Amino acid sequence: RGVQAHRLCPPRGAGSSLEPEERSMEPPAVPEEEEEEEKEEGAVPLSMAPGPVGCQLFGYVGIEAVLDQMKIKTMKTGFEFNIMVVGQSGLGKSTMVNTLFKSKVSRKSSQPGQEERIPKTVQLQSITHVIEEKGVKMKLTVTDTPGFGDQINNENCWDPIIKYINEQYEKYLREEILITRKRKIPDTRVHGCVYFVPPTGHWLRPLDLEFMRRLSKIVNVVPVIAKADTLTLEERAEFKQRIQEDLKTHAISVYPQEDFDQDPEDRALNDRIREKIPFAVVGADQEHQVNGKRVLGRKTKWGIIEVENPAHCEFPLLRDLLIRSHLQDLKDITHNVHYESYRVRRLNESNRPG
């Protein structure tokens, strides 16, 4: 009876010691009624609130002007892109880079008409140019590896390349950990490495497999079949399929890496690119007259191989991958994945006692 009296009568004072016990003993009927009232009024509980949703604006605010601000700032400051080409001598690495950017950005002879003597050792050479197109400036650095794999004994011939790539990571890390660092750290890190596979029409050589296995862990590697005009269409298709099988068998992850696909649309695009890799490319830095138009191509006895014609070679696919669609992604993966793993390793080494 006493308990029933307490339940029927309201508490005498706000500081009653029985009030918390009575509330905890009663079922939570009031919150459910409040939830029903909120649902009827159209309110959403905080715990059930969805993620970011679009909000209807009453007028023009100008949020889209952020894109114009970013564009203007990028056009003023410019951006950096560093590319490395690796392969044997005579595979057209310098010509391919010149064809990519439609300018003489790679190594060239000091005198016109005189062929440059390429050293037969892996002596890395970097050339930096500032190229501009429609007001956008790009500081382009091309790193060439003349004579890679030309020796009889090619043991550890990739060591200078790995050393160079890690040195650029180290430079960036030293600038980043300074107490007073620059507002914009000079970026000399290699964003993409184009590896030229000789057009043998057979399997990948052990040198090619070992190089891509080692380099794919520290840099974005894009394999291409050099001088693809020396192969027939059937030989090209078979060679490409064998290379894809070799890469899959040896667990070599080339760019674009499947592990880094996050957006479904990006995954669908990258899947189409992975089906085409390695690209069968042809490089040329001379123009020819074809049907009243000036085109880049290689002149042969039976016709002109148009470099930018998708029916002749896959150079347009390589250019779109490196410049038009995935240039920023190459830089992001270099910074967020390859450089980050190097930074973590170096900082762990420096924190070890002794």
Side-chain angles (χ1 to χ4, degrees), residues 33-50:
E33 296 176 359
E34 292 179 357
E35 282 187 6
E36 292 178 357
E37 293 177 0
E38 289 178 350
K39 289 180 181 178
E40 292 176 357
E41 296 176 0
V44 180
L46 184 61
S47 60
M48 298 176 61

Short mmCIF file of all heavy atoms in Angstrom, two decimals, residues 33-50:
data_model
loop_
_atom_site.label_atom_id
_atom_site.label_comp_id
_atom_site.label_asym_id
_atom_site.label_seq_id
_atom_site.Cartn_x
_atom_site.Cartn_y
_atom_site.Cartn_z
N GLU A 33 6.99 8.14 -26.12
CA GLU A 33 5.96 9.09 -26.52
C GLU A 33 6.58 10.32 -27.18
O GLU A 33 6.04 10.85 -28.15
CB GLU A 33 5.13 9.50 -25.29
CG GLU A 33 4.34 8.34 -24.69
CD GLU A 33 3.62 8.76 -23.43
OE1 GLU A 33 3.77 9.96 -23.04
OE2 GLU A 33 2.93 7.93 -22.84
N GLU A 34 7.74 10.75 -26.62
CA GLU A 34 8.41 11.90 -27.22
C GLU A 34 8.88 11.58 -28.62
O GLU A 34 8.82 12.41 -29.53
CB GLU A 34 9.60 12.32 -26.35
CG GLU A 34 9.17 12.90 -25.02
CD GLU A 34 10.37 13.27 -24.17
OE1 GLU A 34 11.51 13.01 -24.64
OE2 GLU A 34 10.17 13.82 -23.09
N GLU A 35 9.40 10.34 -28.84
CA GLU A 35 9.85 9.95 -30.18
C GLU A 35 8.67 9.97 -31.15
O GLU A 35 8.80 10.41 -32.29
CB GLU A 35 10.47 8.56 -30.15
CG GLU A 35 11.89 8.56 -29.61
CD GLU A 35 12.52 7.21 -29.76
OE1 GLU A 35 11.89 6.32 -30.38
OE2 GLU A 35 13.63 7.04 -29.27
N GLU A 36 7.49 9.46 -30.69
CA GLU A 36 6.34 9.45 -31.57
C GLU A 36 5.92 10.86 -31.93
O GLU A 36 5.55 11.16 -33.07
CB GLU A 36 5.19 8.70 -30.90
CG GLU A 36 5.45 7.20 -30.74
CD GLU A 36 4.31 6.52 -30.03
OE1 GLU A 36 3.36 7.23 -29.63
OE2 GLU A 36 4.38 5.27 -29.88
N GLU A 37 6.00 11.79 -30.93
CA GLU A 37 5.64 13.18 -31.22
C GLU A 37 6.62 13.80 -32.21
O GLU A 37 6.22 14.52 -33.12
CB GLU A 37 5.63 14.00 -29.92
CG GLU A 37 4.51 13.58 -28.97
CD GLU A 37 4.58 14.35 -27.66
OE1 GLU A 37 5.50 15.20 -27.53
OE2 GLU A 37 3.74 14.11 -26.79
N GLU A 38 7.94 13.46 -32.05
CA GLU A 38 8.93 14.02 -32.97
C GLU A 38 8.72 13.49 -34.37
O GLU A 38 8.85 14.20 -35.37
CB GLU A 38 10.33 13.68 -32.49
CG GLU A 38 10.74 14.46 -31.25
CD GLU A 38 12.11 14.06 -30.77
OE1 GLU A 38 12.62 13.06 -31.29
OE2 GLU A 38 12.67 14.74 -29.90
N LYS A 39 8.38 12.17 -34.48
CA LYS A 39 8.15 11.60 -35.80
C LYS A 39 6.92 12.24 -36.44
O LYS A 39 6.89 12.47 -37.64
CB LYS A 39 7.96 10.09 -35.69
CG LYS A 39 9.24 9.36 -35.34
CD LYS A 39 9.00 7.86 -35.25
CE LYS A 39 10.28 7.13 -34.88
NZ LYS A 39 10.07 5.69 -34.74
N GLU A 40 5.87 12.52 -35.62
CA GLU A 40 4.68 13.14 -36.17
C GLU A 40 4.98 14.55 -36.66
O GLU A 40 4.45 14.99 -37.67
CB GLU A 40 3.57 13.17 -35.12
CG GLU A 40 3.04 11.78 -34.76
CD GLU A 40 2.02 11.85 -33.64
OE1 GLU A 40 1.78 12.99 -33.13
OE2 GLU A 40 1.47 10.81 -33.28
N GLU A 41 5.85 15.27 -35.94
CA GLU A 41 6.19 16.63 -36.34
C GLU A 41 7.22 16.67 -37.46
O GLU A 41 7.55 17.73 -37.97
CB GLU A 41 6.73 17.41 -35.13
CG GLU A 41 5.68 17.58 -34.04
CD GLU A 41 6.26 18.26 -32.82
OE1 GLU A 41 7.47 18.58 -32.85
OE2 GLU A 41 5.53 18.46 -31.86
N GLY A 42 7.80 15.51 -37.82
CA GLY A 42 8.76 15.48 -38.91
C GLY A 42 10.20 15.60 -38.46
O GLY A 42 11.10 15.68 -39.29
N ALA A 43 10.46 15.65 -37.15
CA ALA A 43 11.82 15.76 -36.66
C ALA A 43 12.50 14.40 -36.69
O ALA A 43 11.86 13.37 -36.59
CB ALA A 43 11.83 16.32 -35.23
N VAL A 44 13.83 14.42 -36.80
CA VAL A 44 14.62 13.18 -36.83
C VAL A 44 15.47 13.14 -35.58
O VAL A 44 16.16 14.12 -35.26
CB VAL A 44 15.51 13.13 -38.09
CG1 VAL A 44 16.32 11.85 -38.09
CG2 VAL A 44 14.64 13.22 -39.33
N PRO A 45 15.45 12.05 -34.81
CA PRO A 45 16.30 11.96 -33.62
C PRO A 45 17.77 12.07 -33.99
O PRO A 45 18.18 11.71 -35.09
CB PRO A 45 15.97 10.57 -33.06
CG PRO A 45 14.66 10.20 -33.67
CD PRO A 45 14.60 10.87 -34.98
N LEU A 46 18.55 12.55 -33.02
CA LEU A 46 19.97 12.76 -33.28
C LEU A 46 20.69 11.46 -33.58
O LEU A 46 21.56 11.39 -34.44
CB LEU A 46 20.61 13.45 -32.08
CG LEU A 46 22.09 13.84 -32.23
CD1 LEU A 46 22.24 14.81 -33.40
CD2 LEU A 46 22.63 14.45 -30.95
N SER A 47 20.32 10.38 -32.89
CA SER A 47 20.99 9.10 -33.10
C SER A 47 20.65 8.49 -34.45
O SER A 47 21.37 7.62 -34.94
CB SER A 47 20.61 8.13 -31.98
OG SER A 47 19.20 7.92 -31.98
N MET A 48 19.52 8.89 -35.03
CA MET A 48 19.10 8.33 -36.31
C MET A 48 19.36 9.28 -37.46
O MET A 48 18.94 9.03 -38.58
CB MET A 48 17.61 8.00 -36.26
CG MET A 48 17.24 6.96 -35.21
SD MET A 48 15.47 6.70 -35.14
CE MET A 48 15.15 6.12 -36.80
N ALA A 49 20.05 10.39 -37.22
CA ALA A 49 20.29 11.37 -38.27
C ALA A 49 21.19 10.78 -39.33
O ALA A 49 22.21 10.16 -39.01
CB ALA A 49 20.93 12.63 -37.68
N PRO A 50 20.85 10.92 -40.60
CA PRO A 50 21.70 10.37 -41.67
C PRO A 50 22.95 11.19 -41.87
O PRO A 50 23.18 12.19 -41.17
CB PRO A 50 20.79 10.42 -42.90
CG PRO A 50 19.86 11.58 -42.62
CD PRO A 50 19.64 11.57 -41.13
#
